[in-house]
């Protein structure tokens, strides 16, 4: 019986470890995207993703805009929704 409890606790610990790694990777991706956007702005690369997102918002396609932003940045749903909501203001 004790082996089952130990196994369950080990499995839960492993799952928590995986979740923390995924969260760290999301954070790293967000930081990298910020730096890439700064570099692109200095070099003069147009920010077409924002133009596409703004166009979707003007068409009333908020969910599609959130999906597009998530794909482009690798951010989670919450962060993407917050960004899209900030553009709408």
């Amino acid at each position: 019986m004790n082996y089952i409890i130990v196994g369950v606790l080990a499995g839960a610990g492993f799952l928590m470890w995986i979740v923390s790694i995924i969260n760290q990777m999301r954070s790293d991706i967000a930081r990298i995207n910020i730096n890439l956007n700064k570099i692109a702005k200095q070099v003069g690369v147009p920010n077409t993703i924002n133009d596409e997102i703004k166009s979707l918002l003007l068409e009333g396609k908020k969910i599609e805009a959130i999906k597009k932003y998530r794909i482009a940045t690798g951010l989670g749903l919450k962060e993407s929704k917050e960004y899209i909501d900030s553009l709408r203001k």
Side-chain angles (χ1 to χ4, degrees):
M1 190 67 155
N2 288 338
Y3 293 115
I4 294 172
I5 293 171
V6 170
V8 169
L9 291 175
F14 180 73
L15 187 59
M16 290 174 58
W17 177 70
I18 294 292
V19 168
S20 71
I21 288 175
I22 291 170
N23 286 334
Q24 181 61 46
M25 291 174 77
R26 282 186 174 159
S27 175
D28 291 345
I29 290 170
R31 183 179 40 80
I32 290 168
N33 278 328
I34 289 169
N35 288 332
L36 284 174
N37 286 338
K38 288 178 182 177
I39 292 168
K41 192 173 189 176
Q42 284 182 337
V43 175
V45 176
N47 190 350
T48 58
I49 191 69
N50 273 350
D51 294 340
E52 292 176 35
I53 289 171
K54 288 177 183 177
S55 175
L56 287 170
L57 288 174
L58 288 173
E59 296 172 16
K61 298 178 180 178
K62 180 181 174 182
I63 293 173
E64 288 182 40
I66 294 170
K67 283 182 184 178
K68 187 164 216 60
Y69 189 74
R70 286 187 71 191
I71 291 169
T73 62
L75 293 175
L77 178 61
K78 179 183 175 195
E79 295 88 358
S80 298
K81 183 182 179 308
E82 288 172 354
Y83 178 76
I84 298 302
D85 287 342
S86 75
L87 288 179
R88 295 179 76 201
K89 294 179 181 178

